[in-house]
Amino acid sequence: MIKKIAVIGAGSWGTALAVSLSGKGHSVKIWDINNEHLQELKDHRENIRFLPEVKFPDGIEISFTIEEAISGAGIVLFSAPAQHFRSAFDGAIPYLKSEMVLVNVAKGIEQKSLMRLSEIAFEKLPDAKYVVLSGPSHAEEVGRAMPTTVVSAAKDLELAEYIQDVFMSDRLRVYTNTDVAGVEFGGALKNIIALGAGISDGMGYGDNAKAALMTRGITEIARLGTKLGASASTFSGLTGIGDLIVTCTSMHSRNRRCGIMIGEGVKPSEATKKVGMVVEGMYTTEAAYQLAQKVGIEMPITEQIYHVINEKIDAREAVKSLMTRQKKHETEDVFQR
Amino acid sequence: MIKKIAVIGAGSWGTALAVSLSGKGHSVKIWDINNEHLQELKDHRENIRFLPEVKFPDGIEISFTIEEAISGAGIVLFSAPAQHFRSAFDGAIPYLKSEMVLVNVAKGIEQKSLMRLSEIAFEKLPDAKYVVLSGPSHAEEVGRAMPTTVVSAAKDLELAEYIQDVFMSDRLRVYTNTDVAGVEFGGALKNIIALGAGISDGMGYGDNAKAALMTRGITEIARLGTKLGASASTFSGLTGIGDLIVTCTSMHSRNRRCGIMIGEGVKPSEATKKVGMVVEGMYTTEAAYQLAQKVGIEMPITEQIYHVINEKIDAREAVKSLMTRQKKHETEDVFQR
């Protein structure tokens, strides 16, 4: 069952998946909007910028036009950053055929529109065979064939199972799920809690505080997600709490590193500058805060982080406010069903 | 609302809670089965063995008999190790009055009987006012008043709320839950996964593998727990995934340290000896394996860890077996309701 796969976007995650797929015998073509970067991939047979020390197997080709990459492919994998998904998708549309399966591995909520990425895709191509691949998966580890699990999610279970078969190996275990909204919300909103976990660490708080933040954090993410059509069970899974665990406990996470600086007393605007790259959680916090207000959902942790990163309150005040809220029953809402 | 509280068992957790309660103005008496240890507590006004560098506030008294500790108390807090709960409870029974509220903070399943600790208590005193206090709470951090959350669980919500009021402070946030079985299973069975997380770390696997182990681990714990009367939602909360996160990511955990040695190739029997203290997860794995067999529940991770610690298979074989199991839908069972 050898497939032809186009990978659109040669960051660390797209590259790691290309290597993994090629290792299973699939034929993979990589394209990226940056021509110079593509030339480097071709010259070095390695992504020295974003996934160093992982050599490309022979089955990986570099394409210098998106048309060439997509032409003849059975599967088109989108691995552009979330805020660039719309333009990457627009660029691909002229070459897509209705039988091609589209897989998106980006995680985020689009700014301003507050749309999930699948909503953007279906708005443009209502009949797209669209799959989201998500889960606790640092690219650095997948590129090195370290054991990893992910979820293939599509409204149509058979489609999710098709991608499960294509990607699964004895190093990459793939589960299926039909809750596309839940998988997308989990992957995007975890970055809010990663910022918060960093802030907690930066303030010198311990493992107890961070575990509380993660557990109550996924609870409020689930509360928003279920209100917007997701299934609560998804947030207890690999793309929910699983991905949150990986993000909050790793120094790979830019969101967490940014949070640590804020917790140490650096101004949020300064901390973002110092990280030097996009801190997705800053956008996601704003998006979630707006969504929660819009649909009338209580998200106390998100709200406090929103006020901290907008320099309205100090991190210590935020913690005090969270610890002294009205007393609660643990499962009064979302998981109680 | 000043209460008189007896603490039975002066390990690190009982001591940390005594300090926290005394800090709220409650009057606390500590008793322990080891007289020499009690004399040390009295002489140093500090638990130098198990919670060093945390000075006792004036509100803590040391009692040299269990009768003296319990006499006149409104609340009796049991903090003996799980396998010693039965004897500690037996020792207290002659002095308990029906109006006293009993709080247990030990986590475990009794060996051989495979009973939860509340089952032991209710077998002896069917009308006991019995509360379980559990959650992600390293004693070292609670003793230092670092922000922590726990759950007060009782069949009777009002009783759980009573203990919530007694314990809650701006550093210790207490939620209530009425799912006693779920809270007890979460606290006990997490140690299986902590062993597994250690093994994964010891084998040199990464954050992806560990997050997968934790997420799929809590799923199978919930599968067993719900079969035995617990509510699935509890396993998504502080006493389930929350406590699992703290245990699997901290070097404080003996279970995890034991697992690391096994992952590095030390024989399980040797590793247990080297830890030098009780590795509760070794017993819990056996108990859960037996319970799962008895009620016909699939627990693939527990089963593999059981075989590894009993030296039936090698850790690498266990990982391969887990990664290459039959393909699955993610939420086919427990959280899908």
Side-chain angles (χ1 to χ4, degrees):
Chain A
M1 203 197 61
I2 305 305
K3 302 292 173 194
K4 290 187 175 173
I5 302 168
V7 172
I8 307 303
S12 58
W13 189 213
T15 305
L17 286 169
V19 169
S20 175
L21 289 162
S22 173
K24 272 198 75 178
H26 298 304
S27 151
V28 180
K29 289 183 178 176
I30 299 181
W31 177 81
D32 190 275
I33 198 157
N34 183 338
N35 247 303
E36 196 189 317
H37 181 43
L38 284 174
Q39 191 60 52
E40 276 176 18
L41 300 185
K42 196 174 168 78
D43 293 346
H44 296 276
R45 299 292 300 164
E46 181 184 325
N47 189 337
I48 48 172
R49 287 194 205 193
F50 300 121
L51 196 69
E53 292 170 48
V54 176
K55 285 283 169 204
F56 291 174
D58 292 340
I60 292 182
E61 283 179 53
I62 311 301
S63 295
F64 284 84
T65 67
I66 191 168
E67 179 175 8
E68 204 263 320
I70 293 176
S71 164
I75 296 166
V76 182
L77 187 150
F78 291 90
S79 46
Q83 303 304 331
H84 297 120
F85 171 68
R86 184 184 289 271
S87 64
F89 199 68
D90 281 340
I93 284 177
Y95 314 110
L96 296 179
K97 302 246 183 303
S98 63
E99 70 273 15
M100 291 177 180
V101 176
L102 314 182
V103 180
N104 194 355
V105 301
K107 297 170 184 173
I109 305 279
E110 194 180 48
Q111 282 180 268
K112 288 180 189 149
S113 77
L114 304 183
M115 284 166 91
R116 288 182 280 110
L117 305 185
S118 69
E119 291 177 318
I120 297 173
F122 284 120
E123 193 177 73
K124 291 169 189 289
L125 297 179
D127 299 321
K129 294 187 178 173
Y130 187 93
V131 180
V132 184
L133 195 83
S134 186
S137 47
H138 287 311
E140 295 77 3
E141 298 184 1
V142 173
R144 285 166 182 74
M146 292 166 79
T148 300
T149 55
V150 292
V151 172
S152 162
K155 286 187 286 193
D156 171 9
L157 179 60
E158 278 184 33
L159 187 59
E161 287 174 341
Y162 171 80
I163 289 301
Q164 179 181 42
D165 280 335
V166 171
F167 281 74
M168 190 149 163
S169 74
D170 67 350
R171 299 275 114 178
L172 185 66
R173 182 163 171 82
V174 185
Y175 292 82
T176 55
N177 196 324
T178 53
D179 178 19
V180 173
V183 167
E184 290 187 303
F185 278 125
L189 303 186
K190 63 154 208 245
N191 284 324
I192 304 169
I193 310 302
L195 263 180
I199 294 173
S200 175
D201 288 340
M203 291 170 77
Y205 291 150
D207 295 337
N208 296 356
K210 203 155 81 170
L213 191 71
M214 290 161 71
T215 309
R216 297 303 301 175
I218 198 71
T219 302
E220 69 178 53
I221 287 172
R223 198 184 296 142
L224 178 66
T226 50
K227 178 79 179 188
L228 295 168
S231 154
S233 59
T234 302
F235 298 98
S236 297
L238 294 166
T239 60
I241 191 70
D243 201 0
L244 186 62
I245 289 169
V246 147
T247 308
C248 291
T249 56
S250 164
M251 280 310 283
H252 291 304
S253 165
R254 292 199 288 268
N255 296 287
R256 179 162 169 249
R257 275 188 279 133
C258 182
I260 290 175
M261 283 191 269
I262 296 171
E264 287 170 346
V266 177
K267 273 200 164 192
S269 47
E270 276 299 304
T272 318
K273 268 185 222 151
K274 283 191 181 174
V275 170
M277 288 182 285
V278 174
V279 180
E280 188 68 39
M282 301 296 251
Y283 303 130
T284 319
T285 303
E286 173 124 21
Y289 180 78
Q290 289 173 3
L291 279 171
Q293 299 254 314
K294 193 168 135 189
V295 297
I297 284 290
E298 208 182 19
M299 296 186 80
I301 296 173
T302 302
E303 197 180 310
Q304 294 299 322
I305 294 173
Y306 175 80
H307 291 318
V308 169
I309 64 178
N310 284 292
E311 303 176 17
K312 292 270 169 37
I313 60 167
D314 171 73
R316 275 171 213 285
E317 284 171 67
V319 173
K320 179 141 201 204
S321 156
L322 286 170
M323 291 297 287
T324 56
R325 290 174 68 232
Q326 192 200 336
K327 283 176 286 216
K328 293 278 180 186
H329 190 278
E330 195 187 15
T331 58
E332 63 196 308
D333 39 37
V334 56
F335 291 112
Q336 181 95 321
R337 297 187 322 153
Chain B
M1 204 194 61
I2 305 306
K3 301 292 172 195
K4 290 186 174 173
I5 302 168
V7 172
I8 307 302
S12 58
W13 190 211
T15 305
L17 286 169
V19 170
S20 175
L21 289 163
S22 172
K24 270 197 79 179
H26 298 304
S27 152
V28 180
K29 288 182 178 175
I30 299 181
W31 177 81
D32 190 275
I33 199 158
N34 182 339
N35 248 301
E36 195 188 319
H37 181 44
L38 284 174
Q39 191 61 51
E40 277 176 17
L41 300 185
K42 196 176 168 77
D43 293 346
H44 297 275
R45 299 292 299 165
E46 181 184 325
N47 189 335
I48 48 173
R49 288 195 204 192
F50 300 122
L51 195 70
E53 293 171 46
V54 176
K55 284 285 169 202
F56 291 175
D58 292 340
I60 293 183
E61 283 179 52
I62 310 302
S63 296
F64 284 85
T65 68
I66 192 168
E67 180 176 8
E68 205 260 321
I70 293 177
S71 164
I75 296 166
V76 182
L77 188 149
F78 291 90
S79 45
Q83 303 305 333
H84 297 120
F85 171 68
R86 184 185 288 272
S87 64
F89 199 69
D90 280 340
I93 284 176
Y95 314 110
L96 296 178
K97 303 245 181 307
S98 63
E99 70 273 15
M100 290 177 179
V101 176
L102 314 181
V103 180
N104 195 354
V105 301
K107 297 169 183 174
I109 304 278
E110 194 180 47
Q111 283 180 268
K112 288 180 187 149
S113 77
L114 304 182
M115 286 166 91
R116 289 182 281 110
L117 305 185
S118 70
E119 291 176 320
I120 298 174
F122 284 119
E123 194 176 73
K124 292 170 188 287
L125 297 178
D127 298 321
K129 293 186 179 173
Y130 186 94
V131 180
V132 184
L133 195 81
S134 185
S137 47
H138 287 310
E140 295 76 3
E141 298 185 0
V142 173
R144 284 166 184 73
M146 291 165 79
T148 299
T149 55
V150 293
V151 172
S152 162
K155 287 187 284 191
D156 171 7
L157 179 59
E158 277 183 33
L159 187 58
E161 286 174 341
Y162 171 79
I163 289 301
Q164 179 181 41
D165 280 335
V166 170
F167 282 74
M168 190 150 165
S169 74
D170 67 351
R171 299 276 115 177
L172 185 65
R173 183 166 170 80
V174 186
Y175 292 81
T176 55
N177 197 325
T178 53
D179 178 19
V180 173
V183 166
E184 289 187 304
F185 278 126
L189 304 185
K190 63 153 208 246
N191 285 325
I192 305 168
I193 309 302
L195 264 179
I199 294 173
S200 175
D201 288 339
M203 291 171 77
Y205 290 151
D207 296 336
N208 296 354
K210 202 156 81 169
L213 191 71
M214 291 161 72
T215 309
R216 298 303 300 174
I218 197 71
T219 302
E220 70 180 50
I221 286 172
R223 198 184 297 142
L224 178 66
T226 50
K227 179 81 179 185
L228 295 167
S231 155
S233 59
T234 302
F235 298 98
S236 298
L238 294 166
T239 60
I241 191 71
D243 201 1
L244 186 63
I245 289 169
V246 147
T247 309
C248 290
T249 56
S250 166
M251 280 310 282
H252 291 304
S253 166
R254 293 199 288 268
N255 295 287
R256 179 163 168 248
R257 276 188 278 134
C258 182
I260 289 174
M261 283 191 270
I262 296 172
E264 288 170 346
V266 177
K267 272 200 165 192
S269 47
E270 276 298 306
T272 318
K273 269 186 222 150
K274 284 193 180 173
V275 170
M277 289 180 285
V278 174
V279 180
E280 187 67 39
M282 302 295 252
Y283 304 128
T284 318
T285 303
E286 173 123 21
Y289 180 78
Q290 288 172 4
L291 279 171
Q293 299 253 316
K294 194 168 134 188
V295 297
I297 285 289
E298 208 183 18
M299 296 186 80
I301 296 173
T302 302
E303 197 180 310
Q304 293 299 322
I305 294 173
Y306 176 80
H307 291 318
V308 169
I309 65 178
N310 284 294
E311 303 176 17
K312 293 271 168 36
I313 61 168
D314 173 71
R316 275 171 213 284
E317 284 171 66
V319 172
K320 179 142 200 203
S321 157
L322 286 171
M323 291 297 288
T324 55
R325 293 173 66 229
Q326 189 199 339
K327 281 175 287 212
K328 293 279 179 184
H329 190 276
E330 193 186 16
T331 58
E332 65 196 305
D333 39 37
V334 56
F335 290 112
Q336 183 93 318
R337 299 188 316 156

